[in-house]
Amino acid sequence: MSKIIYTKTDEAPALATRSFLPIVKAFIKSSGINIETKDISLAARILAIFPDFLSEDQRVSDDLAFLGELAKKPEANIIKLPNISASIPQLKGAIEELQSLGFGIPNYPDKPENDSEKDIKSRYDKIKGSAVNPVLREGNSDRRAPKAVKNYAKKNPHSMGVWSSDSKTHVATMQSGDFAHNEKSVTLPEATSVKIEHTDNNGTTTILKDSFSLLKGEIIDATVMSKNALVTFLDEQVADARKNNLLFSLHMKGTMMKVSDPIIFGHAVKSYYKDVFEKHGDIIKKLGVNVNSGVSNLLNRIEELPDVKRKEIEADIDAVYKNGPAIAMVNSDKGITNLHVPSDVIIDASMPAMIRTSGQMWNADGKLQDTKAVIPDSSYAGVYAATIDFCKKHGAFDPTTMGTVPNVGLMAQKAEEYGSHDKTFEIGSEGIIRVIDTSGNVLLEHTVEEGDIWRMCQVKDAPIQDWVKLAVTRARASQTPAVFWLDANRAHDAQLIEKVNTYLKDHDTNGLDLRILSPVDATIFTCERLKEGKDTISVSGNVLRDYLTDLFPILEVGTSAKMLSIVPLMNGGGLFETGAGGSAPKHVQQLLEENHLRWDSLGEFLALAVSLEHFSEVNNNAKAKILGETLDDATEKLLENKKGPSRKAGELDNRGSHFYLAMYWAQELAHQTKDEALQVEFTPIAKQLADNATAIVKELNDIQGRPTDIGGYYEPNEALINQVMRPSKTLNSILQ
Ligand SMILES: NC(=O)C1=CN([C@@H]2O[C@H](COP(=O)(O)OP(=O)(O)OC[C@H]3O[C@@H](n4cnc5c(N)ncnc54)[C@H](OP(=O)(O)O)[C@@H]3O)[C@@H](O)[C@H]2O)C=CC1
Ligand SMILES: O=C(O)CCC(=O)C(=O)O
Ligand SMILES: [Mg+2]
């Protein structure tokens, strides 16, 4: 019999799991549904790849590999919570914590000096960045705001910063020399294998990637970001921000684009702190500073220097801030800047948050200020530029009246840019890069210079067919116009457009409003409709899937955590993601400081309901269907009664909202009449929960306002974390 797999992840979602999962288990126990937990936290993923460094009893199974295989099977039913996509500083933090707990795992070698270190680094690099989602996502993406969520937002709008037409905020992006402008693309007429070669100016050829196979109909593309063009662009933007008194901010995806974007981030660090790097270049080099990990790496490394020298460099860093431009802050109280670590400012969440806040970001004085949003590659920057222009012209969107933008995203089987890590290279020397097939044909070729970033992407044909089908299905089911966000002038998109036109013919599209528009035109079209209260499905590639499923939800309902996020797996299984947002590290901090967890598990409630529905269909289990339906009703009631977590200690938090969900769920089960056994089982439970509501909420709120301890960040202590997340004796005993 199949089961539901629940993932254990990191940070706020993992805390929430300790409170929510016991409730779920108690509710489904009598219905013949098995739930099993798989640990894909950063810590578990590290331990899983170093069995040879661990004692027998410390070893853990590779749950991610297991789930990756499961995702390809029809019986898959996985509830996937957000996990950390680790930047190098986070990875090192996790390693240090695990070592301090007695796990003998090796350090991360920044510059491996022998084969053993190379092996260690390559193992760690597989865990780095976005390493979970691409493995599990064996299907395309269907993300939308459920009606109940949308209605709640209309009645209880979140705050929206006003937009004025004289805002100086703007997007700065490259006009040439970037990935967008250098892209080349072909569709393969037949299956083949290709290798990637670099030939330098002396004719010496190096294999960058050995032969790997490609399928018939697969679209491949390759492109290059010129280092010189990038550095010139960044220098100009720093100067322009200074001149116009704008905050300098950089927005990119250092986690998902884990090879290319940290390099670009490093160039931005060097550009912004140019005076420091010019004056102290030798020492910085000697210290082995890794700029790609952000300015925090420089700050940590100079700690090793004698006081006088360290103070001199610190003074020069301060001078950079003084001479400007001012830099956007992640946390102005703690002096954490936009360039501290590459994982703090992630474009999918950072740009929408800024657009929601009148186009402003925080400066060092803790005040909001107009911003230059630097998005080096121009492939998708125009979407944000067009949204900002729209807000300047029409003012901020109004959550009480605006429409909604569901997304159908092409993402299966590591589609497009997000699958390019193993084919991305920082170029060592001037020359030519070629993608060559087994017959010696050159499929793609670029002239490159030292320091350029070259990458190749693929998207297979079957996922494209599945994506087109999903788009038509959603357009039909919701009777909503759907726009393919594809740019006929972009090499990759031009190939994709041909396929879209071909595969649309496989479906009945009669009466549907389906269009293909460039991302900028699609933004304008969608925003105009959105403002008028009309809905428009965005059908997009993998990067825009990521960007748009934060952009519109954050504007519409305040956070992407409230999204229903389904991945119908191509082999028939279901992957149910919980919301579209991340793991919000600052929520953990608040829990530790004041024992209040403001993480909202709404996305998890929605995901569990669809997972139960899927379970019922696959296993012919009528009870699972009822559990799913009643859970949805309970979620709606939770929204109506405003029992989501508050931001303030002493008020209802994540744990309290779980209690209310449990109570409403029990009440719905007690009221339904389709299954008598469930009704009989849950009637007394509903009564007990309701009778004890005041006491339970008091137990859950009274403990707040004081620091608490869970014994670790990446690998918290199980006993402590369970205690902290389940503090109500009354609730625990009812669940029992
Ligand atoms: N699917 C996955 O596994 C994903 C993982 N990530 C990872 O998450 C981490 C943080 O990413 P980041 O870009 O900061 O994005 P987050 O979504 O974690 O945070 C952005 C902001 O959204 C709000 N928010 C998000 N989720 C919730 C929730 N459930 N309840 C309440 N508020 C919420 C909070 O804002 P506010 O202050 O306005 O309340 C939060 O500060 C990174 O490690 C990233 O790689 C990111 C995206 C998806
Ligand atoms: O996997 C990740 O790092 C983030 C995923 C993400 O942001 C998304 O899918 O929306
Ligand atoms: Mg995202």
Side-chain angles (χ1 to χ4, degrees):
M1 228 238 331
S2 70
K3 42 190 155 199
I4 295 176
I5 305 279
Y6 219 87
T7 51
K8 186 178 144 199
T9 58
D10 308 281
E11 295 181 332
L15 289 166
T17 298
R18 264 60 168 225
S19 151
F20 186 53
L21 194 54
I23 295 175
V24 177
K25 284 185 170 159
F27 273 64
I28 63 168
K29 200 166 159 189
S30 62
S31 295
I33 307 167
N34 284 324
I35 281 208
E36 200 179 305
T37 312
K38 292 284 171 195
D39 191 348
I40 53 170
S41 63
L42 179 59
R45 287 184 284 128
I46 292 175
L47 294 179
I49 53 157
F50 287 110
D52 43 336
F53 286 76
L54 300 173
S55 64
E56 196 79 50
D57 61 316
Q58 288 178 323
R59 290 182 193 160
V60 304
S61 53
D62 189 345
D63 285 6
L64 178 60
F66 171 85
L67 292 182
E69 282 311 308
L70 178 64
K72 295 177 189 155
K73 297 181 185 157
E75 66 264 31
N77 187 333
I78 305 168
I79 295 184
K80 157 68 176 61
L81 281 85
N83 60 280
I84 292 181
S85 293
S87 61
I88 295 283
Q90 286 170 304
L91 188 59
K92 288 184 176 171
I95 294 169
E96 201 175 304
E97 184 176 325
L98 288 168
Q99 288 170 338
S100 78
L101 292 170
F103 296 98
I105 49 168
N107 284 326
Y108 180 85
D110 284 301
K111 296 207 166 73
E113 276 162 12
N114 51 44
D115 284 351
S116 136
E117 285 186 1
K118 275 186 198 149
D119 167 56
I120 291 167
K121 182 167 187 296
S122 89
R123 290 202 228 176
Y124 274 130
D125 284 348
K126 286 202 191 95
I127 297 176
K128 194 174 79 181
S130 179
V132 170
N133 289 324
V135 173
L136 301 183
R137 290 172 170 174
E138 284 290 326
N140 292 306
S141 158
D142 170 8
R143 287 182 179 175
R144 50 197 138 103
K147 214 176 209 96
V149 169
K150 208 42 204 167
N151 287 342
Y152 175 81
K154 285 186 171 168
K155 275 191 245 153
N156 308 279
H158 50 275
S159 64
M160 276 289 234
V162 292
W163 268 90
S164 80
S165 55
D166 55 11
S167 162
K168 291 200 302 181
T169 291
H170 65 261
V171 171
T173 192
M174 292 170 74
Q175 303 301 311
S176 64
D178 61 345
F179 291 129
H181 288 87
N182 292 328
E183 190 173 78
K184 296 178 182 174
S185 180
V186 289
T187 300
L188 297 176
E190 290 305 329
T192 184
S193 292
V194 296
K195 59 182 172 181
I196 305 173
E197 281 185 3
H198 172 268
T199 304
D200 69 15
N201 289 345
N202 301 321
T204 310
T205 295
T206 316
I207 305 280
L208 295 181
K209 188 171 171 68
D210 251 335
S211 182
F212 57 102
S213 48
L214 298 173
L215 302 175
K216 180 178 173 177
E218 191 156 349
I219 299 174
I220 57 167
D221 39 84
T223 186
V224 59
M225 163 76 79
S226 153
K227 175 186 154 189
N228 287 331
L230 172 66
V231 171
T232 306
F233 163 78
L234 290 167
D235 288 349
E236 283 167 6
Q237 297 316 315
V238 171
D240 188 71
R242 185 184 296 119
K243 190 170 129 210
N244 290 301
N245 196 22
L246 286 166
L247 277 184
F248 179 90
S249 66
L250 177 74
H251 303 261
M252 47 197 317
K253 191 87 181 182
T255 48
M256 269 198 135
M257 296 306 292
K258 63 180 173 183
V259 183
S260 58
D261 285 18
I263 301 172
I264 299 174
F265 186 87
H267 287 300
V269 171
K270 279 193 279 190
S271 187
Y272 181 79
Y273 296 95
K274 198 175 214 74
D275 293 347
V276 175
F277 281 86
E278 276 178 358
K279 186 165 165 198
H280 304 286
D282 288 344
I283 289 193
I284 289 175
K285 197 166 171 199
K286 217 178 281 160
L287 287 172
V289 171
N290 180 2
V291 284
N292 299 0
S293 291
V295 76
S296 65
N297 192 268
L298 172 67
L299 294 171
N300 289 339
R301 285 295 159 90
I302 59 175
E303 294 285 330
E304 299 162 20
L305 292 172
D307 264 9
V308 180
K309 194 74 209 166
R310 179 177 51 82
K311 285 194 175 136
E312 188 193 332
I313 299 180
E314 282 171 353
D316 287 329
I317 292 174
D318 283 341
V320 168
Y321 297 134
K322 212 167 279 148
N323 298 335
I327 189 163
M329 302 302 284
V330 168
N331 185 332
S332 46
D333 294 339
K334 296 194 171 135
I336 300 186
T337 73
N338 176 276
L339 294 173
H340 256 60
V341 284
S343 53
D344 268 350
V345 178
I346 306 180
I347 185 166
D348 54 344
S350 64
M351 284 302 295
M354 170 188 138
I355 293 170
R356 203 190 134 184
T357 320
S358 313
Q360 301 189 316
M361 292 181 80
W362 301 98
N363 64 24
D365 301 330
K367 296 205 176 84
L368 288 167
Q369 187 178 332
D370 282 358
T371 303
K372 177 191 278 291
V374 176
I375 304 175
D377 179 42
S378 60
S379 300
Y380 307 105
V383 167
Y384 296 115
T387 308
I388 286 171
D389 286 346
F390 191 89
C391 292
K392 282 183 190 170
K393 194 162 154 200
H394 301 281
F397 286 98
D398 179 355
T400 65
T401 56
M402 71 195 289
T404 189
V405 186
N407 176 269
V408 173
L410 172 59
M411 91 178 166
Q413 301 175 356
K414 305 188 176 68
E416 303 181 322
E417 288 97 319
Y418 284 170
S420 64
H421 320 305
D422 58 347
K423 298 173 286 291
T424 303
F425 307 97
E426 192 174 20
I427 302 304
S429 66
E430 207 173 293
I432 296 179
I433 301 222
R434 296 189 177 94
V435 178
I436 305 178
D437 72 11
T438 37
S439 321
N441 299 313
V442 177
L443 301 182
L444 300 162
E445 155 178 317
H446 285 98
T447 311
V448 292
E449 297 180 75
E450 185 270 323
D452 289 357
I453 307 164
W454 183 94
R455 74 165 182 233
M456 175 180 158
C457 311
Q458 326 166 216
V459 52
K460 297 182 179 37
D461 185 63
I464 298 171
Q465 293 195 35
D466 180 81
W467 170 64
V468 171
K469 180 172 154 206
L470 186 58
V472 175
T473 310
R474 290 305 313 154
R476 177 76 64 202
S478 59
Q479 286 298 313
T480 303
V483 179
F484 287 84
W485 292 45
L486 296 171
D487 186 353
N489 294 318
R490 202 184 138 191
H492 167 80
D493 286 10
Q495 302 287 320
L496 207 49
I497 287 172
E498 271 187 41
K499 285 191 187 269
V500 169
N501 285 327
T502 305
Y503 296 137
L504 277 176
K505 295 193 190 105
D506 295 345
H507 306 283
D508 172 16
T509 57
N510 218 340
L512 298 181
D513 182 350
L514 303 173
R515 309 169 186 228
I516 299 177
L517 295 175
S518 76
V520 169
D521 290 343
T523 307
I524 297 166
F525 177 76
T526 302
C527 284
E528 275 165 358
R529 291 176 52 86
L530 196 56
K531 185 129 198 116
E532 290 165 12
K534 294 182 188 151
D535 308 340
T536 319
I537 299 173
S538 63
V539 188
S540 72
N542 206 352
V543 176
L544 281 179
R545 165 201 64 78
D546 183 23
Y547 292 8
L548 302 182
T549 59
D550 265 342
L551 176 60
F552 293 115
I554 287 173
L555 299 178
E556 288 175 32
V557 301
T559 165
S560 55
K562 297 183 175 176
M563 298 295 280
L564 178 59
S565 179
I566 304 176
V567 185
L569 296 168
M570 284 174 59
N571 285 338
L575 172 67
F576 307 98
E577 301 196 21
T578 61
S583 43
K586 66 186 176 201
H587 295 191
V588 184
Q589 228 166 45
Q590 191 184 12
L591 178 94
L592 297 180
E593 282 162 15
E594 26 185 62
N595 201 355
H596 178 89
L597 183 65
R598 65 171 236 245
W599 178 260
D600 189 333
S601 299
L602 201 93
E604 202 166 332
F605 307 156
L606 301 170
L608 177 61
V610 273
S611 162
L612 286 166
E613 191 189 330
H614 183 80
F615 186 94
S616 110
E617 280 163 18
V618 173
N619 299 289
N620 219 345
N621 178 325
K623 285 181 192 286
K625 188 167 163 60
I626 293 166
L627 282 163
E629 284 168 357
T630 48
L631 173 57
D632 261 341
D633 293 338
T635 305
E636 204 162 335
K637 215 160 161 188
L638 183 100
L639 283 168
E640 263 166 35
N641 294 337
K642 301 201 179 96
K643 298 299 182 193
S646 115
R647 290 166 169 258
K648 268 208 247 121
E651 298 177 354
L652 200 74
D653 79 347
N654 178 270
R655 296 162 288 193
S657 82
H658 291 167
F659 156 69
Y660 277 106
L661 184 86
M663 184 175 85
Y664 297 143
W665 196 4
Q667 288 170 348
E668 294 295 333
L669 283 162
H671 290 152
Q672 57 80 35
T673 49
K674 289 180 193 158
D675 186 299
E676 211 191 314
L678 281 173
Q679 194 180 28
V680 169
E681 179 187 351
F682 281 93
T683 301
I685 294 172
K687 183 171 182 330
Q688 281 180 49
L689 288 169
D691 288 350
N692 289 286
T694 315
I696 292 172
V697 172
K698 190 171 179 333
E699 284 172 3
L700 293 173
N701 290 358
D702 278 357
I703 49 150
Q704 298 182 28
R706 291 177 289 279
T708 189
D709 180 22
I710 53 170
Y713 190 88
Y714 296 99
E715 180 75 347
N717 178 287
E718 257 332 291
L720 283 179
I721 194 173
N722 281 317
Q723 244 169 35
V724 169
M725 289 311 299
R726 303 189 67 197
S728 165
K729 285 203 181 72
T730 314
L731 175 60
N732 295 350
S733 83
I734 298 174
L735 288 176
Q736 195 115 53

